[in-house]
C-alpha cells in the first residue's frame, strides 16, 4: 500500500462545485482535507425530509458507482444503457462482509430514491439522453464531410499596434533596409516611450469582484509566459502575447511584467528583432520600461556584441527615465552568467564601470535583539554531537531523498501471510501499473497536443505547465496518487490542488538540477557544516544565518522560484485528475488474462453529499479497493517535504530561502491563494526579519531521535485492537456498523428516520476512525523508519502571526501526547546536581495530580510514588499501570523510563539524559494582557507575582462565579438555585482559557453547555438556560478580575472595527519586526469551467476584496496576543542558543534538557520583562495612526468622519495599572 499524504494545511477558502451539464443543481464544496484552508459553508435550502433522502442516497456507495457508470457510458455514446445492465467488476467470494453491507445499503437506498429527488434524477437522465441524441446527429453529419487537411497555424511575430504612428514606424522599419534597422528602431522606441499609462490601464474595474477576477486572469497569463520560458517555448509565448495585445479587449490583461518576461526570453537567446517587437508593444500599451526592461535590452545587446552607439543611447534613455545603471546589478534578479553579459554591454560605453558591491549586511537594531547581535559579549553557541564526516554523509542521504522527491517507507501495519492469493494480487497490481503507465503517457501526449493546438490559436493554456515534467514522471506521480485514494473517494477540488502542488514541487527540484544549483549547494553546505560539527571550529563564532550568508558568491542568492497562482495549481491538477479517470482501466475480473474481458474504469467521477452539500468526488471502483486490500503492499510513499530531514536544514536567510535543500518551503504559511503576507515580507527591510529568521533556524537545528522503547509499546497496541483511551486508534474492523437487517414493511416513518440517523452516525464514526488510523499509521511508520538513524531534524516556519511550526506534518513534537512521547533529543546532556529533581517534577506535572501544590510538595510526592514510577518503567503493560491514569500517559511513561535509568545509574549526576523537560506558561494569553495593562490583580491571578503556591486562574474565576450565583440564588433566581454544587473549575476552564483568544459569548455558551451535558447529576432540561447564565457570569467575573485586560481587548476590537469599516485589513508589526496582516476578507469567486466538472471557488482571503469586519474585529485581540507570545518565544530561543542550550517550543510550552531548566527559566523571565518593558501599545497606536490616518482629506464626508473617529480611538490608549514587571523574575510559577 502507498500513502501519499496531502500537504499541510492551512484556513479560509470555500468553494462551490458546479457539475458540468447539471446547471440546476448547485454542488458546493465544504471544508475538507486541506486542513481548513477552505472557507465557511453555506446553509442548505432543502427541507429536512429532502436532506434525509439526499443524505441516505449519498451514503449508498455502490449505487453511486453504478449511476456514475451509466453517465460515463452515455458520454462514450454507448446506447441504451440502464442501471440493470451496467457491468461491474466481480468481487471475489472471500471479500468480506463490507461488500454485503454495500449491497444492503444499495437496496435500502433504492427504496429511498422515490419522491422529488428520484424525479429530478429521471428528468436529468432524459435531458442527457436528448443531448446525446443531438450530439450523435452532429457527429454523423460531421463524419460524412470530406476530410480536409489542417495546416498548423503559423506563430505570429509582428505585433498589431493600435497607435497609428507607432504602426507606421514599425512598417517602415520592417520594409526598409537601413544598415542596422533594429538597433536604430530600439533607440527610437525608447526615446518616444510615453511616460503615462493609457486610458485602458487607468480605468479600474467597476467593482472589487471584477478586480479580483481580473487579477486571477493576469496571474494565470503571467504563469503561462514564465512556463513557456522554462520549457523553451518562447516563440509560442511571443505568439500569445502578440495575439492578446492585438485584441484590444484582452489587452487590459497584459502587464509590464508579462512583456518583460517575453523580452527576457528573447534577450537570453540574443534575438534582437523579436525583443524590439515587444518594446513596440510596451509603448503601444502605454507602459514605461522599467529596470527589467532595460536589463533585457542590454543583455541582448551584450550577447550580440552590438556597437557602443546603440548601447549608449539605451543608457542615456535610462538616465532620462531616472533609472540608475547600478541598480541593474542590485535590484534585478539575474544569474551570474546574465550579470556577466550585462556587464559586457555596459563596459562598451563605460570601460571603467564596475558593478556596485553587494551592500554590507545590515544588523538588526531592535533594542530587544541588541544583545543577540552584539560582537563583544561572550557567546557559547551549541555544536552538534556529530563529526563533520558523519554530517557530510547525512547531507548526501538527504540530497538523494529530495532529488527523488519521494521516500519509500515500510509500513508498520501487520503484514498478512504470503498466501497464493496475496502474491497473485501483488503480481496483478504490478502488471496493471505497467499497463496504466503506458496508457497515461499516451493520454498525456494527446492532451498536450490538443493544448498546444489551442495555444497556437493565441489562447494561453496549460501546455507549457504539462511540459515541465516528462510523461513518465507525471504518470508515476498520478499512479502514486491513485494508490492512496480512500475507498469512499476524494473530493475533486482537494485532489486537484494536491496534484498541482506536487507537479510544482517536482518542477522546482528539476529546475535547480538543470541550472547547476545542486553542485553549488554541495560546495557551500560542506563549508557550512564546519560551523555545526563537533570536531571543527569557525572563528569568530557566528549565527548559522550569518555564516551561510558569508559563504555565498558575489552574485548573491539565485532568483527565487515564484509559486504558481492557486487557479493555475487547481486547473493543472484538475486536468491531471481527468487524465487519470480516462486512462486507467482494469478487467472486470482482476484475475482474467489480458484482453479476455471488457475493461472498466478504475475511477468514477460521482456526486455525493457531505454535511448536506453536494460535492464532486473521484471514487475508486470497489474491485480496485479490494485488490489493494488483498495485496496489502508493505510500503508507504511520502513526499520528501513530509519527512523529517536527515541533515541540518538550510538556515532561513530570506522569505523564500531556507529549510529543505531543494524542495520549496514558505517562510510564512498562510491560506492558499493569499499573497499579501509574502508581499509584506518581501518589502520588509531584510535586517528587520533577522530575529525571526534566526529563531526559526535555531529551532530547526535541534536534532531529534526516536524513543525506541515507547515506540515498541505503541506498536504492540497498534497491532492488536488499539486503545482509544491511550490515543492508539483501533483498526477499521472495530468501527461501529449500522443494523444489517432491513426494516420491515410498514415501519413507522419516525423509526425509519431514526434508522437513517443511526446509519449516518455509524458511517461518520467509521470515516473518522479510518482517518485516525491512517494518521497513526503514517506517524508510527515514519518513527520506525527513523528509529535507527542517530539523528534527524525538523525544519520550522511560521504562520502570519509569527507562531512557529515544524514543516513535516506527520512526525514532530507539535502533536498529541503520543506524538511527543515518541521523540527525544538526539544530543544528550548530563543531569548534573539538579537534573534528576527536574525529571521528577516533570513526571508529576505530566500526571496532572499536583497542579496547585508547591514544587517542594510535588518533589516529595514524586519520591513517594517512586515505586510506581519504577514499576511503570519496568512493566508498563503487565504491572500496576500507574502511568495510564496520567493526563499525558505516554509522556509520563517515557519520563518514568528516563527516571528509572537515571536512579539506577552509578551516579545520577553524570547520567546522560536525552529527555526534554517542559515548562508551561500559566494561562499565557492572560499573562500578556496583565503585563500590557500593568494589572496587579490580574498579574497575581496568572502567576506574574511571586507566591508560595501556584495560582489557578480557572479556580479563581469559578469561585467568583459561585459568589455571583449564591447572591442570585438568595434573590430567588431559579437557574442559580439549580446550579448549586455544579459550578466547578472544569465547567468554566475552557471558556476562561479561550476568552483571551477572542471567544464570544455564543461560543462560550456552547463550551459550557458541553460541560454541563457531561455532568450526570445535572438536570438536563436546564442546560440551555444554565449555560446562558454561566457564560454571562464568567464574563462578569473576568471583567472584575481582569479589568485592564477587558479594556485592552475592547480598544483592540474597536480599532479593528473602524479600520475595516474604512476598507482596510488590520495590520501591524510585531516587536521583533515581523509584518502581520489579517487575511479576513469578503468572499471572492472565480471559476474553472469545463471537463468533468466546473468548480467555483469562494476565496475569503483575497486582499482585493473588502475586509470582513466581523472577523477583523474579533480576530485582532487574539492574533495580537499570539504575535506577542511568539515574540517572547523567539527571544527566549535566541538567548538560550547564545548560552549554548538546546531549546524547542510548542508555542507557550518551552522544552530543554533537565540540567538546563534553571537557565532556561531565567532567560524566559528576563525576556518577558524586556518584551513588556517596551511601549508596545503606544508603538501599536503610532503605527496604526501612520498607516490608516495619514491619508489626505477625502472629498467623501463620511470617510473623513470615520478617519477622525479612528484617529481619536487610536490615541485613547487604555489606562494602565501600577504592576512592577520586575516581580516576574522572582515568580517561581510564571512558567513551571
Amino acid at each position: 500500500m502507498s500513502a501519499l499524504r496531502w500537504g499541510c494545511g492551512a484556513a479560509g477558502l470555500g468553494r462551490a462545485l458546479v457539475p458540468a451539464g447539471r446547471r440546476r443543481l448547485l454542488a458546493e464544496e465544504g471544508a475538507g482535507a486541506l486542513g481548513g484552508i477552505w472557507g465557511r459553508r453555506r446553509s442548505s435550502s432543502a427541507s429536512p425530509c429532502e436532506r434525509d433522502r439526499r443524505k441516505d442516497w449519498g451514503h449508498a456507495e455502490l449505487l453511486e458507482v453504478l449511476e456514475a457508470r451509466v453517465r460515463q457510458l452515455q458520454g462514450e455514446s454507448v446506447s441504451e444503457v440502464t442501471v440493470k445492465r451496467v457491468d461491474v467488476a466481480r468481487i471475489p467470494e472471500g471479500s468480506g462482509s463490507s461488500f454485503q453491507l454495500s449491497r444492503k445499503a444499495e437496496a435500502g437506498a433504492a427504496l429511498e430514491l422515490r419522491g422529488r429527488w428520484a424525479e429530478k434524477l429521471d428528468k436529468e437522465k432524459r435531458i442527457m439522453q436528448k443531448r446525446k441524441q443531438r450530439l450523435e446527429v452532429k457527429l454523423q453529419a460531421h463524419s460524412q464531410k470530406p476530410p480536409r487537411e489542417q495546416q498548423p497555424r503559423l506563430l505570429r511575430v509582428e505585433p498589431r499596434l493600435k497607435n497609428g504612428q507607432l504602426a507606421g514606424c514599425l512598417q517602415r522599419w520592417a520594409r526598409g533596409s537601413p544598415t542596422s534597422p533594429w538597433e536604430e528602431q530600439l533607440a527610437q522606441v525608447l526615446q518616444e516611450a510615453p511616460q503615462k499609462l493609457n486610458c485602458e490601464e487607468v480605468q479600474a474595474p467597476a467593482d472589487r469582484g471584477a478586480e479580483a477576477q481580473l487579477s486571477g486572469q493576469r496571474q494565470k497569463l503571467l504563469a503561462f509566459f514564465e512556463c513557456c520560458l522554462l520549457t523553451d517555448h518562447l516563440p509560442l509565448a511571443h505568439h500569445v502575447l502578440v495575439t492578446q495585445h492585438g485584441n484590444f479587449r484582452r489587452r487590459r490583461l497584459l502587464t509590464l511584467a508579462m512583456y518583460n518576461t517575453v523580452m527576457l526570453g528573447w534577450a537570453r537567446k540574443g534575438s534582437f528583432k523579436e525583443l524590439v517587437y515587444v518594446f513596440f508593444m510596451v509603448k503601444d500599451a502605454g507602459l514605461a520600461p522599467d529596470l527589467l526592461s532595460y536589463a533585457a535590452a542590454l543583455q541582448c545587446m551584450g550577447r550580440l556584441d552590438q556597437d557602443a552607439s546603440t548601447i549608449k543611447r539605451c543608457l542615456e534613455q535610462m538616465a532620462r527615465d531616472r533609472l540608475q545603471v547600478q541598480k541593474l546589478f542590485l535590484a534585478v534578479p539575474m544569474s551570474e552568467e546574465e550579470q556577466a553579459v550585462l556587464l559586457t554591454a555596459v563596459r562598451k560605453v563605460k570601460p571603467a564601470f564596475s558593478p556596485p558591491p553587494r551592500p554590507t549586511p545590515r544588523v538588526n537594531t531592535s533594542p530587544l535583539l541588541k544583545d543577540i547581535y552584539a560582537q563583544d559579549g561572550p557567546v557559547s553557541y551549541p555544536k552538534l554531537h556529530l563529526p563533520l564526516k558523519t554530517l557530510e554523509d547525512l547531507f548526501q542521504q538527504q540530497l538523494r531523498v529530495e532529488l527523488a522527491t519521494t521516500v519509500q517507507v515500510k509500513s508498520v501495519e501487520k503484514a498478512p501471510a504470503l498466501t497464493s492469493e496475496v502474491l497473485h494480487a501483488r503480481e496483478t497490481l504490478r502488471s496493471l501499473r505497467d499497463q496504466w503507465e503506458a496508457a497515461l503517457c499516451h493520454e498525456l501526449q494527446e492532451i498536450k497536443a490538443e493544448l498546444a493546438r489551442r495555444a497556437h490559436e493565441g489562447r494561453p493554456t496549460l501546455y507549457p505547465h504539462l511540459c515541465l515534467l516528462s510523461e513518465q514522471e507525471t504518470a508515476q506521480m498520478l499512479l502514486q496518487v491513485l494508490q492512496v485514494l480512500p475507498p469512499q473517494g476524494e473530493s475533486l477540488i482537494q485532489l486537484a490542488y494536491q496534484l498541482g502542488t506536487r507537479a510544482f514541487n517536482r518542477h522546482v527540484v528539476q529546475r535547480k538540477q538543470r541550472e547547476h544549483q545542486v553542485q553549488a549547494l554541495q560546495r557551500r553546505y560542506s563549508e557550512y557544516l564546519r560551523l555545526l560539527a563537533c570536531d571543527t571550529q569557525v572563528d569568530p563564532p557566528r549565527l548559522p544565518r550569518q555564516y551561510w550568508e558569508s559563504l555565498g558568491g558575489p552574485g548573491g542568492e539565485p532568483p527565487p522560484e515564484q509559486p504558481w497562482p492557486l487557479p493555475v495549481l487547481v486547473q493543472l491538477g484538475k486536468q491531471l485528475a481527468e487524465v487519470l479517470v480516462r486512462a486507467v482501466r482494469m478487467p472486470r475480473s482482476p484475475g482474467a488474462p489480458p484482453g479476455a474481458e471488457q475493461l472498466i474504469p478504475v475511477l468514477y467521477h460521482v456526486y455525493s453529499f457531505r454535511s448536506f452539500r453536494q460535492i464532486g468526488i473521484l471514487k475508486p471502483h470497489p474491485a480496485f479497493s479490494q485488490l489493494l486490500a488483498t495485496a496489502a503492499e508493505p510500503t508507504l510513499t511520502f513526499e520528501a517535504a513530509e519527512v523529517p530531514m536527515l541533515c541540518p536544514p538550510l538556515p532561513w536567510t530570506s522569505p523564500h530561502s531556507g529549510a529543505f535543500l531543494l524542495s520549496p518551503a514558505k517562510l510564512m504559511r498562510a491560506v492558499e491563494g493569499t499573497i499579501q503576507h509574502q508581499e509584506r515580507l518581501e518589502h520588509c527591510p531584510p535586517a528587520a526579519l533577522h530575529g525571526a529568521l534566526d529563531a526559526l533556524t535555531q529551532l530547526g537545528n535541534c536534532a531529534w531521535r526516536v524513543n525506541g522503547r515507547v515506540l515498541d509499546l505503541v506498536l504492540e497496541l497498534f497491532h492488536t485492537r488499539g486503545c482509544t483511551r491511550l490515543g492508539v486508534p483501533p483498526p477499521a474492523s472495530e468501527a461501529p456498523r449500522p443494523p444489517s437487517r432491513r426494516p420491515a414493511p410498514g415501519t413507522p416513518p419516525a423509526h425509519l428516520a431514526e434508522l437513517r440517523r443511526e446509519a449516518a452516525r455509524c458511517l461518520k464514526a467509521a470515516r473518522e476512525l479510518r482517518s485516525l488510523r491512517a494518521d497513526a499509521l503514517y506517524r508510527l511508520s515514519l518513527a520506525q523508519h527513523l528509529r535507527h538513524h542517530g539523528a534527524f531534524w525538523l525544519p520550522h516556519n511560521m504562520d502570519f502571526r509569527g507562531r512557529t511550526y515544524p514543516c513535516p506534518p506527520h512526525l514532530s513534537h507539535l502533536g498529541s501526547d503520543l506524538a511527543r512521547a515518541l521523540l527525544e533529543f538526539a544530543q544528550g546532556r548530563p543531569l548534573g546536581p539538579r537534573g534528576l529533581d527536574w525529571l521528577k517534577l516533570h513526571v508529576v506535572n505530566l500526571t496532572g495530580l499536583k497542579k496547585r501544590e508547591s514544587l517542594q510538595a510535588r518533589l516529595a510526592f514524586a519520591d513517594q510514588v517512586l515505586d510506581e514510577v519504577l514499576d511503570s518503567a519496568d512493566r508498563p503493560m503487565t504491572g500496576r499501570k500507574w502511568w495510564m491514569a496520567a493526563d499525558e500517559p505516554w509522556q509520563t511513561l517515557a519520563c518514568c523510563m528516563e527516571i528509572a535509568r537515571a536512579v539506577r545509574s552509578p551516579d545520577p549526576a553524570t547520567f546522560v539524559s536525552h529527555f526534554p523537560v517542559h515548562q508551561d506558561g500559566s494561562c499565557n494569553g492572560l499573562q500578556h494582557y496583565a503585563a500590557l495593562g500593568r494589572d496587579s490583580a490580574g498579574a497575581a491571578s496568572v502567576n506574574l507575582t511571586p507566591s508560595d503556591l501556584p495560582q489557578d486562574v480557572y479556580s479563581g474565576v469559578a469561585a467568583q462565579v459561585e459568589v455571583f450565583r449564591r447572591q442570585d440564588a438568595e434573590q430567588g433566581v431559579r437557574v442559580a438555585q439549580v446550579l448549586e454544587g455544579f459550578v466547578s473549575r472544569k465547567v468554566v476552564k475552557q471558556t476562561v482559557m479561550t476568552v483571551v483568544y477572542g471567544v464570544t459569548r455564543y461560543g462560550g455558551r456552547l463550551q459550557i453547555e458541553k460541560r454541563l451535558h457531561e455532568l450526570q447529576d445535572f438536570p438536563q432540561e436546564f442546560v440551555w438556560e444554565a449555560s446562558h447564565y454561566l457564560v454571562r457570569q464568567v464574563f462578569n467575573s473576568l471583567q472584575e478580575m481582569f479589568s485592564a485586560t477587558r479594556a485592552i481587548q475592547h480598544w483592540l476590537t474597536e480599532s479593528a472595527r473602524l479600520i475595516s469599516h474604512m476598507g482596510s485589513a488590520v495590520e501591524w508589526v510585531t516587536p521583533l519586526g515581523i509584518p502581520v496582516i489579517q487575511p479576513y476578507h469578503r468572499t471572492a469567486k472565480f471559476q474553472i469551467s469545463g471537463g468533468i466538472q466546473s468548480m467555483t471557488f469562494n476565496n475569503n482571503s483575497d486582499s482585493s476584496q473588502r475586509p470582513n469586519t466581523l472577523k477583523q474585529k474579533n480576530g485582532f485581540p487574539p492574533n495580537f496576543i499570539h504575535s506577542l507570545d511568539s515574540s517572547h518565544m523567539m527571544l527566549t530561543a535566541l538567548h538560550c542558543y547564545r548560552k549554548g542550550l538546546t531549546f524547542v517550543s510548542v508555542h507557550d510550552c518551552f522544552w530543554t534538557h533537565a540540567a538546563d531548566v534553571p537557565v532556561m527559566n531565567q532567560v524566559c523571565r528576563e525576556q518577558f520583562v524586556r518584551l513588556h518593558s517596551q511601549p508596545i501599545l503606544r508603538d501599536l497606536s503610532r503605527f496604526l495612526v501612520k498607516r490608516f490616518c495619514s491619508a489626505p482629506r477625502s472629498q467623501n464626508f463620511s470617510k473623513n468622519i470615520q478617519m477622525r473617529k479612528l484617529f481619536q480611538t487610536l490615541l485613547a490608549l487604555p489606562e494602565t495599572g501600577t504592576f512592577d514587571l520586575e516581580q516576574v523574575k522572582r515568580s517561581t510559577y510564571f512558567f513551571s
Side-chain angles (χ1 to χ4, degrees), residues 1076-1133:
V1076 180
I1077 180 170
Q1078 297 195 141
Y1080 313 130
H1081 298 269
R1082 295 183 183 177
T1083 301
K1085 295 184 178 181
F1086 63 90
Q1087 188 177 47
I1088 296 178
S1089 303
I1092 59 177
Q1093 176 182 308
S1094 295
M1095 297 184 292
T1096 300
F1097 294 82
N1098 294 330
N1099 186 354
N1100 299 321
S1101 55
D1102 189 339
S1103 58
S1104 65
Q1105 297 297 306
R1106 291 187 63 84
N1108 184 317
T1109 301
L1110 183 63
K1111 288 188 175 181
Q1112 290 284 343
K1113 75 182 186 67
N1114 288 341
F1116 188 26
N1119 288 336
F1120 181 70
I1121 294 301
H1122 279 315
S1123 71
L1124 293 184
D1125 71 44
S1126 71
S1127 297
H1128 175 225
M1129 185 278 298
M1130 289 182 177
L1131 286 170
T1132 304

Side-chain angles (χ1 to χ4, degrees), residues 435-511:
Q435 300 172 27
W436 292 342
E437 185 173 334
L440 285 169
C441 290
H442 178 71
E443 185 70 24
L444 286 167
Q445 290 171 357
E446 291 187 348
I447 288 295
K448 286 161 72 171
E450 172 62 21
L451 293 176
R453 184 188 63 78
R454 295 181 191 174
H456 279 67
E457 295 174 357
R459 293 179 288 174
T461 66
L462 294 174
Y463 173 65
H465 297 82
L466 289 174
C467 292
L468 290 169
L469 302 177
S470 68
E471 286 91 358
Q472 186 178 11
E473 290 169 327
T474 306
Q476 290 173 355
M477 180 182 71
L478 292 175
L479 290 179
Q480 290 169 356
V481 170
L482 175 65
Q483 195 78 358
V484 296
L485 277 182
Q488 70 271 21
E490 185 74 65
S491 166
L492 177 61
I493 184 68
Q494 299 168 24
L495 190 61
Y497 172 77
Q498 300 301 338
L499 282 172
T501 302
R502 278 171 167 70
F504 173 76
N505 291 344
R506 283 161 172 74
H507 149 65
V508 170
V509 172
Q510 290 189 5
R511 184 180 181 184

Side-chain angles (χ1 to χ4, degrees), residues 369 372-373 543-545 652 667 689-702 796-798 802 804 1072 1074 1126-1135 1137 1143-1145:
L369 298 170
I372 296 296
Y373 301 114
L543 290 167
R545 174 191 54 80
W652 282 106
L667 173 66
L689 293 176
H690 283 173
L693 298 176
D694 290 334
L696 289 170
T697 300
Q698 183 268 321
L699 294 173
N701 276 349
C702 174
H796 280 59
N797 61 3
M798 60 183 176
T804 60
L1072 286 191
I1074 303 171
S1126 71
S1127 297
H1128 175 225
M1129 185 278 298
M1130 289 182 177
L1131 286 170
T1132 304
L1134 292 171
H1135 281 84
Y1137 189 77
F1143 175 92
V1144 291
S1145 77

Side-chain angles (χ1 to χ4, degrees), residues 393-448:
D393 293 341
L394 293 175
F395 166 72
Q396 294 298 330
Q397 294 179 36
Q398 178 65 24
L399 188 61
R400 287 193 293 271
V401 166
E402 297 197 37
L403 287 173
T405 70
T406 58
V407 182
Q408 297 290 327
V409 174
K410 185 177 180 180
S411 172
V412 297
E413 195 72 83
K414 194 171 183 179
L418 292 180
T419 62
S420 59
E421 183 184 11
V422 172
L423 295 175
H424 181 263
R426 292 182 180 180
E427 182 59 34
T428 302
L429 272 177
R430 279 194 290 269
S431 175
L432 286 174
R433 284 176 186 140
D434 292 340
Q435 300 172 27
W436 292 342
E437 185 173 334
L440 285 169
C441 290
H442 178 71
E443 185 70 24
L444 286 167
Q445 290 171 357
E446 291 187 348
I447 288 295
K448 286 161 72 171

